[in-house]
Amino acid sequence: MRTSTPSGRSAHRIDVVSIFPSYFDGLALSLLGKARDSGILDLSVHDLRDWTHDRHRTVDDTPYGGGAGMVMKPEPWGLALDQLAAGGTRPTIIFPSPAGEVFTQATARDLATREHLVFGCGRYEGIDERVFEYARDLGEVRLISLGDYVLNGGEVAVMAMIEAIGRLIPGVVGNPESLVEESHEDGLLEYPSYTKPAVWREHEVPPILLSGNHGAIAAWRREQQLERTRIRRPDLLDD
Ligand code: ADE
C-alpha cells in the first residue's frame, strides 16, 4: 500500500545497505534533507554488518576458484534483503556495478516513479552472484553503472543516483520549471546563464538577454543549446 504524507503526496521509500553508512550523512544536508523531513522521501541507511552473526561481523571471504581480492558473502545480503522487502512491497533492488546498464536521466526518471527502491552497495571484488539471483524473487533487480570507470565501491554511485532520482520526485525540488530547463531533460545540454552585473571585469552579458524580447531570447537559448551540444557532446545529437 502506498503511504501518504500530511500534504497528501505519496511517500517514496528508499533503503540503502552499505558497510560504510556514514558516507550517506551528506545526503541529509543536500536538497533531499527537506524532502525527508516533510515525509515525501523516507530514506533509511543500513549497515550490512548488522545482518552478520559472528564476533568479527564478517561480510567478505576469499573467492571460489581463486583470484585476487575478496567477495561479499551472501548470508548478510540475504537477511538484509529479506528484511527490507518484508511486507511485499516488491521493491526495485539496485546494485551499483561497473558491469551494469549505464545510468542516464531517463533511468532517473524511471526510478523516480518507483515507490520503494533498495540500493545494495558492493565493495571488494563484488557480491556473491547468487545474491542477484535470490533478489529476483523479492523484486525487480537492476545492475546500474555510473559510467565507464571503476570506483572502489558502490557508495559514491548510489549517492549520485539518489540525488538525481530524488530531485525528480514531486515536492523534492521547489520549482518544477527548473527541472524542465536543464541539461539532458530535452536531450540537449543547458544554455548558458548570467546574472548581474551586466559587465564584469570587462566581460559582457550577451546583449540579447537585456533586450526584453522573450521570443528572441528563447530562440537564442535554443541556438546555444544546440551549439554546445554539437561541440561538447555530439553523441547526444546522434541519438
Ligand atoms: N562500483 C564500482 N564502480 C562503479 C561504477 N562505475 N558505477 C557503479 N558502481 C560502481
Side-chain angles (χ1 to χ4, degrees):
M1 201 188 63
R2 202 166 193 153
T3 48
S4 280
T5 64
S7 66
R9 284 194 170 105
S10 42
H12 291 252
R13 176 178 167 196
I14 299 180
D15 288 288
V16 180
V17 183
S18 164
I19 58 166
F20 295 121
S22 55
Y23 252 99
F24 296 89
D25 292 350
L27 272 182
L29 299 173
S30 74
L31 80 167
L32 297 179
K34 252 187 266 162
R36 190 176 173 178
D37 295 343
S38 65
I40 295 169
L41 200 58
D42 173 13
L43 173 69
S44 310
V45 182
H46 312 268
D47 188 341
L48 179 69
R49 293 188 200 278
D50 290 346
W51 285 285
T52 59
H53 291 112
D54 63 310
R55 204 155 51 90
H56 300 291
R57 296 171 37 100
T58 310
V59 292
D60 61 330
D61 208 334
T62 53
Y64 275 121
M70 301 289 271
V71 176
M72 291 189 114
K73 293 165 66 59
E75 299 94 327
W77 280 110
L79 293 171
L81 295 174
D82 285 346
Q83 183 173 329
L84 297 176
T89 59
R90 298 264 335 147
T92 303
I93 305 171
I94 298 157
F95 294 100
S97 164
E101 56 175 302
V102 175
F103 186 77
T104 65
Q105 190 68 16
T107 322
R109 273 195 296 268
D110 170 19
L111 296 177
T113 66
R114 312 293 175 107
E115 288 173 33
H116 186 191
L117 300 175
V118 176
F119 288 94
C121 301
R123 281 263 151 185
Y124 314 114
E125 293 307 305
I127 302 174
D128 186 304
E129 190 70 20
R130 292 167 293 180
V131 172
F132 309 125
E133 293 162 20
Y134 177 73
R136 288 192 184 97
D137 292 340
L138 304 176
E140 185 193 339
V141 174
R142 305 269 293 265
L143 268 65
I144 303 183
S145 171
L146 213 54
D148 292 338
Y149 42 83
V150 180
L151 305 166
N152 280 334
E155 281 77 7
V156 168
V158 167
M159 271 197 283
M161 289 186 225
I162 292 178
E163 191 149 315
I165 294 163
R167 57 200 298 289
L168 298 178
I169 293 173
V172 176
V173 166
N175 175 10
E177 255 178 50
S178 69
L179 291 177
V180 178
E181 293 190 2
E182 61 193 1
S183 292
H184 300 295
E185 270 305 327
D186 58 2
L188 297 174
L189 302 185
E190 198 174 16
Y191 55 76
S193 300
Y194 302 85
T195 186
K196 292 176 253 332
V199 183
W200 172 74
R201 299 190 180 189
E202 296 177 21
H203 291 258
E204 291 175 14
V205 170
I208 184 92
L209 297 178
L210 311 177
S211 69
N213 182 338
H214 298 297
I217 290 171
W220 180 85
R221 285 178 166 165
R222 191 74 185 167
E223 201 53 46
Q224 292 290 313
Q225 283 192 283
L226 287 164
E227 183 67 1
R228 285 185 150 191
T229 308
R230 189 180 63 75
I231 293 168
R232 299 181 190 169
R233 292 293 306 277
D235 57 302
L236 295 178
L237 296 175
D238 296 343
D239 294 344

Coordinates of all heavy atoms in Angstrom, one line a residue, residues 188-192 219-234 237:
L188 N 19.4 17.8 -24.8 CA 20.4 18.7 -25.1 C 21.1 19.2 -23.8 O 20.5 19.2 -22.8 CB 19.8 19.9 -25.9 CG 19.2 19.6 -27.2 CD1 18.5 20.9 -27.7 CD2 20.2 19.1 -28.2
L189 N 22.3 19.8 -24.0 CA 22.9 20.5 -22.8 C 22.2 21.8 -22.6 O 21.6 22.4 -23.5 CB 24.4 20.7 -23.1 CG 25.2 19.4 -23.4 CD1 26.7 19.8 -23.5 CD2 25.0 18.4 -22.4
E190 N 22.4 22.3 -21.4 CA 21.7 23.5 -20.9 C 22.3 24.8 -21.6 O 23.5 24.8 -21.8 CB 21.8 23.6 -19.4 CG 20.9 24.6 -18.7 CD 21.0 24.5 -17.2 OE1 22.0 24.0 -16.7 OE2 20.1 25.0 -16.6
Y191 N 21.5 25.8 -21.8 CA 22.0 27.1 -22.3 C 22.8 27.8 -21.2 O 22.6 27.5 -20.0 CB 20.9 28.0 -22.9 CG 19.8 28.2 -21.9 CD1 19.9 29.2 -20.9 CD2 18.5 27.6 -22.0 CE1 18.9 29.4 -20.0 CE2 17.5 27.8 -21.1 CZ 17.7 28.7 -20.1 OH 16.7 29.0 -19.2
P192 N 23.7 28.8 -21.6 CA 24.5 29.5 -20.5 C 23.6 30.5 -19.8 O 22.6 31.0 -20.3 CB 25.5 30.2 -21.3 CG 25.0 30.3 -22.7 CD 24.1 29.2 -22.9
A219 N 14.8 31.9 -28.7 CA 15.5 31.4 -29.9 C 17.0 31.3 -29.7 O 17.7 30.4 -30.1 CB 15.1 32.2 -31.1
W220 N 17.5 32.4 -29.1 CA 19.0 32.4 -28.8 C 19.4 31.3 -27.9 O 20.4 30.6 -28.1 CB 19.4 33.8 -28.2 CG 20.8 33.9 -27.9 CD1 21.8 34.3 -28.8 CD2 21.4 33.7 -26.6 NE1 23.0 34.3 -28.1 CE2 22.8 33.9 -26.8 CE3 21.0 33.3 -25.4 CZ2 23.7 33.8 -25.8 CZ3 21.9 33.1 -24.3 CH2 23.3 33.4 -24.5
R221 N 18.6 31.0 -26.9 CA 19.0 30.0 -25.9 C 18.9 28.6 -26.6 O 19.8 27.8 -26.3 CB 18.0 30.0 -24.7 CG 18.3 31.1 -23.8 CD 17.3 31.2 -22.6 NE 17.8 32.1 -21.6 CZ 17.0 32.6 -20.6 NH1 15.7 32.2 -20.5 NH2 17.6 33.4 -19.7
R222 N 18.0 28.4 -27.4 CA 17.9 27.1 -28.2 C 19.1 26.9 -29.0 O 19.7 25.9 -29.1 CB 16.6 27.1 -29.0 CG 16.3 25.8 -29.6 CD 15.7 24.9 -28.6 NE 15.5 23.6 -29.0 CZ 15.2 22.5 -28.3 NH1 15.2 22.7 -27.0 NH2 15.0 21.3 -28.8
E223 N 19.5 28.0 -29.7 CA 20.7 28.0 -30.6 C 21.9 27.6 -29.8 O 22.8 26.8 -30.2 CB 20.8 29.4 -31.1 CG 21.7 29.5 -32.4 CD 21.2 28.6 -33.5 OE1 20.0 28.5 -33.7 OE2 22.1 27.9 -34.0
Q224 N 22.0 28.2 -28.6 CA 23.2 28.0 -27.7 C 23.2 26.5 -27.2 O 24.3 25.9 -27.2 CB 23.1 28.9 -26.4 CG 23.3 30.3 -26.7 CD 24.8 30.6 -27.1 OE1 25.7 30.1 -26.4 NE2 25.0 31.4 -28.2
Q225 N 22.0 26.0 -26.9 CA 21.9 24.6 -26.5 C 22.4 23.7 -27.6 O 23.2 22.7 -27.4 CB 20.5 24.2 -26.2 CG 19.9 24.7 -24.9 CD 18.6 24.0 -24.6 OE1 17.6 24.4 -25.2 NE2 18.6 23.0 -23.8
L226 N 22.0 23.9 -28.9 CA 22.4 23.1 -30.0 C 23.9 23.2 -30.2 O 24.6 22.2 -30.5 CB 21.6 23.5 -31.3 CG 20.1 23.1 -31.3 CD1 19.3 23.8 -32.3 CD2 20.0 21.6 -31.5
E227 N 24.4 24.4 -30.2 CA 25.8 24.7 -30.5 C 26.7 24.0 -29.4 O 27.7 23.3 -29.8 CB 26.1 26.2 -30.5 CG 27.5 26.6 -30.8 CD 27.8 26.3 -32.3 OE1 27.0 25.8 -33.0 OE2 29.0 26.6 -32.6
R228 N 26.3 24.1 -28.1 CA 27.1 23.5 -27.1 C 27.1 22.0 -27.2 O 28.1 21.3 -27.0 CB 26.5 23.8 -25.7 CG 26.7 25.2 -25.3 CD 26.2 25.3 -23.9 NE 27.0 26.3 -23.2 CZ 26.9 26.5 -21.9 NH1 26.1 25.8 -21.1 NH2 27.7 27.4 -21.4
T229 N 25.9 21.5 -27.5 CA 25.8 20.0 -27.6 C 26.6 19.5 -28.8 O 27.3 18.5 -28.7 CB 24.3 19.6 -27.8 OG1 23.5 20.2 -26.7 CG2 24.1 18.1 -27.7
R230 N 26.6 20.3 -29.9 CA 27.3 19.8 -31.1 C 28.8 19.8 -30.8 O 29.5 18.9 -31.2 CB 27.1 20.8 -32.2 CG 27.6 20.4 -33.6 CD 27.3 21.5 -34.6 NE 27.9 22.8 -34.4 CZ 29.2 23.0 -34.6 NH1 30.0 22.1 -35.0 NH2 29.7 24.2 -34.3
I231 N 29.3 20.8 -30.0 CA 30.7 20.8 -29.7 C 31.2 19.9 -28.6 O 32.1 19.1 -28.8 CB 31.1 22.3 -29.3 CG1 31.0 23.2 -30.5 CG2 32.6 22.3 -28.8 CD1 31.0 24.7 -30.2
R232 N 30.4 19.9 -27.5 CA 30.8 19.1 -26.3 C 30.3 17.6 -26.4 O 31.0 16.8 -25.8 CB 30.3 19.7 -25.1 CG 30.8 21.1 -24.9 CD 30.3 21.7 -23.6 NE 30.6 23.1 -23.4 CZ 30.1 23.9 -22.5 NH1 29.2 23.4 -21.6 NH2 30.4 25.2 -22.4
R233 N 29.1 17.4 -26.9 CA 28.5 16.1 -26.8 C 27.8 15.7 -28.1 O 26.6 15.5 -28.1 CB 27.5 16.0 -25.6 CG 28.2 16.1 -24.2 CD 29.0 14.9 -23.9 NE 28.3 13.7 -24.1 CZ 27.5 13.2 -23.1 NH1 27.3 13.8 -22.0 NH2 26.8 12.1 -23.3
P234 N 28.6 15.6 -29.2 CA 27.9 15.3 -30.5 C 27.2 13.9 -30.4 O 26.2 13.7 -31.2 CB 29.1 15.2 -31.5 CG 30.3 15.2 -30.7 CD 30.0 15.8 -29.3
L237 N 23.4 14.2 -30.2 CA 22.7 14.6 -31.3 C 22.4 13.4 -32.2 O 21.4 13.3 -32.9 CB 23.4 15.7 -32.1 CG 23.5 17.0 -31.4 CD1 24.4 18.0 -32.1 CD2 22.2 17.6 -31.1

